């Protein structure tokens, strides 16, 4: 049984169909990359999975449970965490307060403390800045905070929306290294990216999205060497 299965998904904004019948699956341990140009429908798919936008047709199943119409707050305790596009940290709260917001489904104080320690181990810069307001962090640091906040709920599946967007090359590399580490420590990753080169380098499988349809899919390594992918997504 796949961990996450999206089947024949269709999503509309009013009369406009943004997702035109998409199917894909994520198995436990996968790093799946969903790549495609701006406007292809990547965010719409993630928002439909995480319960922010309703599906018009199709099904989404997580570990055997139909979550197609389940609201987001019920998905977090089930093991799905979302790192949204544009980070969306709480600018007026401190780094530590932002992390605590990610633990809202947990009650055990000691466990929350332990998780914060684990996250500081992964992101030493967050510990250095724990009392700083999140709005004053750099883009890369805000991305780390958004990831740390998502990890506070101990997700089994983490979905990330363009974590590298707008970051300097040094931060981009660091963020992708962190994603690799998150995966190697046992969290399954569904990664949406415009940076196809970097995404394919860390993914095991990938899907290429064009205007609401999957036009190509396969092993990330094969797609990296595919001429049409090279031409459309990997040329500098
Ligand atoms: N809130 C919205 N209302 C109407 N159309 C939208 C809305 N959000 C996205 N769209 C449209 O849906 C399509 C897919 O958008 P999106 O999922 O944001 O793409 P991506 O994340 O791949 O850049 C685009 O054509 C976009 O203009
Ligand atoms: Mg998007």
């Amino acid at each position: 049984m796949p961990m996450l299965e999206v089947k024949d998904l269709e999503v509309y904004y009013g009369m406009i169909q943004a997702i035109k019948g998409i199917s894909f699956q994520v198995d436990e341990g996968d790093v799946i990359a969903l790549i495609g140009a701006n406007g292809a429908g990547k965010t719409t798919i993630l928002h439909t999975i995480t319960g922010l936008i309703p599906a018009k047709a199709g099904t989404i199943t997580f570990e055997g449970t139909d979550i197609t119409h389940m609201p987001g707050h019920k998905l977090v305790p089930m093991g799905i965490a979302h790192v949204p596009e544009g980070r969306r940290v709480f600018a007026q709260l401190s780094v530590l307060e932002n992390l605590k917001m990610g633990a809202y489904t947990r009650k055990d104080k000691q466990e929350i403390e332990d998780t914060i320690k684990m996250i500081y181990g992964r992101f030493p810069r967050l510990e250095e800045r724990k009392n700083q307001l999140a709005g004053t962090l750099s883009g890369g640091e805000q991305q780390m905070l958004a990831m740390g906040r998502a990890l506070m709920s101990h997700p089994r599946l983490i979905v990330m929306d363009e974590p590298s967007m707008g970051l300097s090359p040094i931060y981009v590399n660091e963020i992708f290294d962190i994603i690799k580490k998150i995966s190697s420590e046992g969290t399954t990753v569904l990664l949406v990216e415009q940076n196809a080169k970097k995404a394919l380098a860390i993914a095991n499988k990938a899907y290429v999205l064009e205007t609401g349809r999957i036009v190509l899919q396969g092993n990330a390594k094969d797609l990296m060497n595919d001429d049409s992918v090279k031409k459309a997504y990997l040329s500098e």
Side-chain angles (χ1 to χ4, degrees):
M1 179 175 66
M3 181 181 240
L4 180 77
E5 186 169 31
V6 173
K7 228 172 156 189
D8 304 323
L9 184 69
E10 297 181 33
V11 184
Y12 285 73
Y13 293 106
M15 302 288 284
I16 304 200
Q17 188 169 20
I19 301 300
K20 300 168 182 166
I22 275 183
S23 301
F24 67 93
Q25 68 178 59
V26 180
D27 290 313
E28 190 162 4
D30 272 345
V31 176
I32 298 293
L34 212 56
I35 61 176
N38 192 23
K42 303 182 298 299
T43 297
T44 302
I45 292 174
L46 291 195
H47 281 176
T48 311
I49 294 170
T50 55
L52 298 170
I53 303 178
K56 178 96 172 189
T59 55
I60 305 170
T61 313
F62 179 68
E63 294 182 331
T65 304
D66 185 345
I67 60 161
T68 315
H69 301 289
M70 210 174 266
H73 66 91
K74 289 202 175 153
L75 298 173
V76 177
M78 286 180 75
I80 303 179
H82 180 201
V83 184
E85 186 173 59
R87 353 261 187 236
R88 302 285 177 116
V89 297
F90 301 105
Q92 299 303 322
L93 297 183
S94 72
V95 166
L96 177 58
E97 287 163 341
N98 267 274
L99 290 177
K100 286 185 174 164
M101 297 291 275
Y104 72 94
T105 58
R106 310 225 148 219
K107 295 276 171 291
D108 185 332
K109 279 217 166 92
Q110 185 58 47
E111 198 205 328
I112 292 173
E113 288 302 314
D114 292 347
T115 309
I116 289 172
K117 265 193 208 133
M118 180 271 284
I119 284 165
Y120 284 161
R122 165 86 44 69
F123 305 98
R125 224 154 333 162
L126 294 184
E127 181 163 28
E128 288 162 23
R129 289 161 170 67
K130 62 184 172 193
N131 296 318
Q132 196 171 317
L133 291 186
T136 65
L137 298 175
S138 72
E141 289 161 355
Q142 289 190 9
Q143 187 60 51
M144 291 178 194
L145 180 54
M147 287 179 170
R149 185 179 57 188
L151 290 171
M152 285 298 295
S153 66
H154 293 285
R156 284 195 301 286
L157 172 68
I158 189 163
V159 304
M160 301 186 193
D161 198 343
E162 305 226 30
S164 79
M165 200 199 321
L167 301 185
S168 62
I170 291 176
Y171 268 129
V172 170
N173 287 334
E174 201 171 336
I175 291 297
F176 278 98
D177 283 345
I178 291 165
I179 298 169
K180 259 196 282 189
K181 226 176 241 158
I182 289 172
S183 157
S184 71
E185 285 166 8
T187 308
T188 304
V189 177
L190 173 58
L191 171 67
V192 153
E193 264 295 340
Q194 273 187 65
N195 189 334
K197 197 173 187 174
K198 292 278 181 194
L200 291 176
I202 64 162
N204 56 311
K205 279 193 275 173
Y207 296 85
V208 180
L209 199 65
E210 273 175 22
T211 53
R213 285 197 177 86
I214 288 169
V215 293
L216 263 179
Q217 63 187 78
N219 291 325
K221 284 211 174 63
D222 296 337
L223 288 179
M224 241 187 293
N225 295 313
D226 181 283
D227 283 336
S228 64
V229 172
K230 275 189 192 164
K231 208 166 151 219
Y233 301 102
L234 300 178
S235 52
E236 318 273 85

